[in-house]
Amino acid sequence: MTILIVAASLLVGLSLGVMGGGGSILTVPILIYLAGQGTKEAIATSLLVVGVTSLAALVPHARAHRVRWRAGLLFGGFSMAGAYAGGRLAEHVPGPVLLIGFALMMLVTAAAMLRRPRQGDEPVRPSLPLPHIALEGLVVGAVTGLVGSGGGFLIVPALALLGGLPMAAAVGTSLLVIAMNSFAGLAGHLSGVTIDWRLALTVTVAAVVGSLVGARLAGRVPQATLRNAFGWFVVAMGGCVLIRQLPVGTAWACAALAAVLAVAVTVRVRRA
C-alpha cells in the first residue's frame, strides 16, 4: 500500500508542476481511500502537502519567467484571508458535505475551462482591477480552506479567463497563490485536527519530486492542449469524488450529465 501511495503522490506533484493545480484533487482521495484517513484529517494534510509541493514547483517556473509576481501576491494576499476563515469554518461542516461541495465546484470549473475557444497565447492585460482581485481571492481562499484544495483548479481559470494571463503564466503564477492559500488554510485547520507527520512527509517528498519533473514539462506543452487537459482532468476527478459520496443512482446520473455537458461544450469549441 505504501508503494501505491508514493506512486499516486508522484502524480500529485506532476499535476501541480504541469497544470498549476489538481494537487489537492488527487491528494484528498489518496489520503482518504488509500491511506485510510478521515475526511478532515485528509483535508488538513493535503493542504500541507500541496503547499510545500507548490513552492518546490514554483522555482523552475520562476526561472523560466512564467510567474507574474504582482498578480500572484495580490491575489494570494486576499485569498489567504478567505482560506483561514474557510479552514476554521470547516471544523463545523460534516465531511461528506465538504467532499460533495468539492466535487461540484470541480465540475463547474471544468466547464469554464472547456468552453473557452482554443487558441494560442492570449494578450496579457496590463493590470487586474483591484476589486476583482479582492473578490476572486476571497472566494477562492474560502473554498481552499473549506475543502482542502490549494485552489489551483479555481486560480488557473481566474488568472487565465478573467485576468487575461497566458495559460503558461497562469499555471506558474497559480503555484505562488496555491502555496499561500494552503498554509493559511492549514493554520485554520490545525486547531481541530491532528496530522500524521510521517505519512505527510512521505507524500510530500514524493509529490515534490513529481512537481519538479512536471514543471520542466510545462513549458513544452501547447497552451490549448494544456487548457483542455486541465478541464478534462477536473471533470474526471470531480465525477469520481461525487460517485463515492452520493447514493449510487444519483451519483451516476450526475456524473453522466457532467460528461454529456463536457462533450457538448468541447464539440462547440471545436466548431468555433
Side-chain angles (χ1 to χ4, degrees):
M1 184 64 73
T2 301
I3 295 176
L4 187 58
I5 292 174
V6 170
S9 299
L10 286 169
L11 292 178
V12 169
L14 190 64
S15 170
L16 278 166
V18 172
M19 296 187 290
S24 57
I25 295 173
L26 285 170
T27 306
V28 172
I30 287 170
L31 293 172
I32 292 175
Y33 303 125
L34 295 184
Q37 287 199 319
T39 298
K40 295 185 179 181
E41 289 75 16
I43 286 174
T45 304
S46 77
L47 289 168
L48 173 64
V49 173
V50 172
V52 174
T53 305
S54 297
L55 286 179
L58 178 66
V59 175
H61 278 281
R63 288 177 176 172
H65 305 290
R66 294 193 295 265
V67 178
R68 304 297 163 85
W69 295 99
R70 179 180 179 276
L73 290 172
L74 283 174
F75 195 103
F78 285 109
S79 62
M80 284 180 74
Y84 180 79
R88 296 300 300 269
L89 179 62
E91 186 177 345
H92 308 289
V93 181
V97 174
L98 291 176
L99 286 178
I100 291 172
F102 185 32
L104 293 176
M105 185 66 71
M106 289 161 64
L107 294 175
V108 169
T109 303
M113 293 298 291
L114 289 172
R115 74 165 176 262
R116 183 74 175 185
R118 297 186 300 173
Q119 53 189 356
D121 286 357
E122 300 167 14
V124 181
R125 297 175 188 173
S127 62
L128 299 178
L130 187 59
H132 290 179
I133 292 177
L135 179 60
E136 293 165 15
L138 288 170
V139 171
V140 170
V143 173
T144 294
L146 270 172
V147 301
S149 163
F153 68 98
L154 291 175
I155 296 166
V156 172
L159 293 174
L161 303 181
L162 303 177
L165 270 63
M167 190 64 180
V171 167
T173 305
S174 75
L175 292 168
L176 172 63
V177 182
I178 289 170
M180 297 171 70
N181 277 357
S182 296
F183 292 128
L186 176 62
H189 277 275
L190 284 178
S191 62
V193 300
T194 301
I195 290 179
D196 181 341
W197 293 102
R198 182 178 178 180
L199 174 63
L201 180 62
T202 299
V203 174
T204 300
V205 170
V208 166
V209 172
S211 74
L212 296 177
V213 175
R216 288 184 174 274
L217 295 175
R220 304 175 185 178
V221 181
Q223 302 294 298
T225 301
L226 194 59
R227 183 188 299 277
N228 286 318
F230 189 94
W232 281 112
F233 174 77
V234 176
V235 166
M237 293 307 301
C240 289
V241 173
L242 196 60
I243 288 169
R244 294 297 297 264
Q245 296 303 313
L246 293 176
V248 176
T250 303
W252 278 110
C254 291
L257 178 60
V260 169
L261 289 175
V263 170
V265 167
T266 302
V267 170
R268 182 177 178 181
V269 167
R270 288 179 176 175
R271 290 178 177 176

